[in-house]
């Protein structure tokens, strides 16, 4: 589902740095089980797709209730909250670091529409995606403006 060449490299780097910083909370005395590690890998790899608990449980050959219980126990987050957190992080990345439009970001994050994405993002952050882009310094726009001034 996720087919953007350079963006995929950035995403993988972003995920790696998030793992180093402890973005996936878990019980520090225990390692994540193989099934929950696979669940996290699947969620992270399928961000641009419609993802639900039933599909994920089927991929892992687990019941929905067992997946829900074990995921929460091992990570400290529900599956739904983990998916939301990942979608929010990737949306923030695109809003801060790229010129990507809201429609395309919505698609990359697995939303059916830009309106659904905007509603989700505002509920999570208190800002619309464009307000967030502007409030975060709109680095991409500043870089574009700087590049344009060099051409003159």
């Amino acid at each position: 589902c996720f087919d953007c060449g350079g963006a995929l490299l950035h995403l993988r780097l972003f995920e790696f740095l998030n793992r180093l910083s402890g973005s996936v909370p878990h019980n520090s005395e225990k390692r994540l089980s193989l099934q929950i590690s696979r669940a996290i890998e699947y969620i992270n790899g399928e961000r641009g797709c419609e993802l639900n608990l039933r599909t994920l449980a089927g991929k892992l050959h687990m019941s929905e209730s067992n997946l829900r219980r074990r995921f929460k126990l091992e990570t400290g987050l529900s599956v739904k909250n983990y998916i939301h957190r990942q979608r929010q992080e990737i949306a923030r990345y695109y809003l801060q670091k790229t010129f990507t439009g809201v429609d395309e970001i919505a698609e990359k994050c697995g939303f059916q529409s830009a309106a659904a994405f905007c509603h989700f993002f505002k509920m999570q952050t208190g800002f619309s995606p464009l307000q967030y882009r502007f409030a975060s310094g709109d680095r991409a726009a500043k870089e574009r403006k700087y590049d344009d001034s060099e051409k003159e």
Side-chain angles (χ1 to χ4, degrees):
C1 286
F2 202 73
D3 61 352
C4 301
L8 183 57
L9 179 61
H10 283 110
L11 287 175
R12 295 297 176 216
L13 179 59
F14 189 67
E15 289 169 357
F16 174 73
L17 294 173
N18 278 334
R19 283 190 207 122
L20 286 178
S21 69
S23 109
V24 177
H26 62 277
N27 183 341
S28 60
E29 296 173 11
K30 287 185 179 179
R31 293 245 190 245
L32 294 177
S33 69
L34 182 59
Q35 286 179 309
I36 300 306
S37 294
R38 285 185 178 158
I40 289 170
E41 287 175 16
Y42 186 79
I43 292 167
N44 291 345
E46 297 296 324
R47 285 192 182 131
C49 298
E50 185 71 23
L51 188 60
N52 60 49
L53 186 64
R54 177 175 291 172
T55 303
L56 186 57
K59 292 278 185 190
L60 300 168
H61 308 290
M62 297 174 73
S63 70
E64 292 176 44
S65 60
N66 190 30
L67 174 58
R68 187 181 301 114
R69 180 185 58 77
R70 288 185 53 201
F71 197 95
K72 174 79 172 177
L73 181 69
E74 292 185 36
T75 67
L77 294 171
S78 69
V79 174
K80 181 179 178 179
N81 285 343
Y82 182 80
I83 291 170
H84 284 177
R85 186 179 198 175
Q86 294 305 98
R87 287 178 170 181
Q88 182 182 353
E89 286 181 17
I90 203 63
R92 285 180 173 186
Y93 170 83
Y94 277 105
L95 290 168
Q96 289 177 349
K97 306 285 185 189
T98 72
F99 300 114
T100 307
V102 171
D103 288 342
E104 192 175 341
I105 294 171
E107 185 179 320
K108 290 175 188 290
C109 292
F111 290 92
Q112 293 180 348
S113 70
F117 166 66
C118 290
H119 177 76
F120 165 82
F121 196 84
K122 181 145 187 160
M123 294 298 291
Q124 297 291 312
T125 65
F127 295 99
S128 73
L130 294 179
Q131 288 171 330
Y132 182 84
R133 179 173 270 168
F134 182 75
S136 67
D138 199 4
R139 293 181 193 121
K142 285 180 183 175
E143 289 172 13
R144 184 177 62 214
K145 190 174 184 179
Y146 179 75
D147 288 344
D148 290 344
S149 69
E150 285 185 347
K151 291 178 186 175
E152 295 175 356

